[in-house]
Amino acid sequence: LCQLHLAIFAPCAAMLLCLLLLVASAEELKEVRLPPRGSPLAKVPVASSSDGLLETSLRLSPVKLLGPNFSLITRAFNGSIPGPTLAVLPGDRLLLTLQNELAAPLGLAGSNEYHHPNTTNLHVHGLHVSPTAPSDSVFGVKLGPGERFRYEYSLLPDHSPGIYWAHPHHHGSVVMQAGAGAASALLVRDPPGFLPPQLDGLEEDVIMLQNLPLPLLKKAAKASE
């Protein structure tokens, strides 16, 4: 699968945006470089189900995102933007361990405002699955720095094939996580014999467009201090 990253940045000579000191020390962060304009689409790792099961993991951690005229510290799944693609079939089980590798500070507490920038959870956007833990519980599961949780999703046998996505969904930190690059494509593939041969034989490319709005990210970071 191929994925394309699209980021729109305000013009500047050299910008460094540190979102709330994601790491407490000066340890080296993994660098993620945007491909030059006109270059081939980068290959993104794909985790696919087998015999009705996909068991995998996502690690939310800080990375340094580099482009032609900017440098910023942001959050990503498994050290890449976008994160790895997940692929399942209708009727499959998806066992996904989410590991929060962000660090202190925890940030302010709040409700309908930016808060807890390093607390996270996961939402499988578009899947018709249970909204209660250990499935798609966006309000019940809250992972602080260093914590992990194993999600268990059971897809219906007649679940609609399609392109969905997985992203952090802790209320108060979504902008600084999903809005800053932490997201993965989530495919529910067509079961065998579902498509006519003319379509089933076509090459498949998944293009994921991501917009990282620096002014909004900076506002969210400042408000969460």
Side-chain angles (χ1 to χ4, degrees):
L1 296 179
C2 301
Q3 296 190 344
L4 172 66
H5 329 317
L6 175 63
I8 302 175
F9 298 94
C12 59
M15 178 178 290
L16 174 61
L17 176 62
C18 181
L19 299 181
L20 275 182
L21 300 176
L22 297 179
V23 287
S25 64
E27 62 180 299
E28 289 295 322
L29 297 179
K30 180 174 182 179
E31 293 184 350
V32 178
R33 295 182 178 272
L34 290 182
R37 180 178 298 178
S39 62
L41 298 180
K43 295 290 185 179
V44 176
V46 182
S48 299
S49 63
S50 177
D51 297 325
L53 175 66
L54 173 58
E55 187 168 5
T56 188
S57 62
L58 291 175
R59 296 174 287 102
L60 180 65
S61 62
V63 297
K64 181 180 289 186
L65 182 63
L66 302 173
N69 296 307
F70 69 90
S71 171
L72 66 91
I73 297 175
T74 186
R75 296 151 167 80
F77 280 148
N78 295 16
S80 68
I81 297 179
T85 295
L86 310 174
V88 294
L89 286 165
D92 279 355
R93 292 184 69 216
L94 170 59
L95 305 181
L96 197 158
T97 298
L98 177 64
Q99 174 70 43
N100 184 355
E101 296 184 355
L102 301 177
L106 295 177
L108 297 175
S111 54
N112 292 321
E113 56 191 5
Y114 298 121
H115 64 278
H116 290 163
N118 293 338
T119 299
T120 193
N121 60 17
L122 191 70
H123 176 44
V124 283
H125 197 117
L127 292 193
H128 292 267
V129 292
S130 171
T132 60
S135 191
D136 196 34
S137 177
V138 296
F139 297 111
V141 178
K142 300 178 182 180
L143 303 181
E147 296 180 338
R148 68 170 60 190
F149 184 81
R150 190 175 90 151
Y151 287 91
E152 301 179 12
Y153 309 99
S154 297
L155 277 71
L156 297 171
D158 60 350
H159 196 291
S160 299
I163 303 175
Y164 307 98
W165 62 307
H167 61 86
H169 203 297
H170 174 62
H171 187 58
S173 63
V174 177
V175 168
M176 295 181 60
Q177 294 178 15
S184 287
L186 174 52
L187 311 181
V188 178
R189 296 192 183 280
D190 301 297
F194 186 80
L195 294 176
Q198 298 92 329
L199 297 179
D200 193 41
L202 293 177
E203 182 179 355
E204 180 181 75
D205 291 328
V206 176
I207 300 178
M208 189 169 186
L209 304 179
Q210 292 177 283
N211 172 33
L212 277 64
L214 291 188
L216 179 59
L217 295 178
K218 187 174 181 179
K219 175 183 177 182
K222 184 173 180 60
S224 300
E225 292 177 350

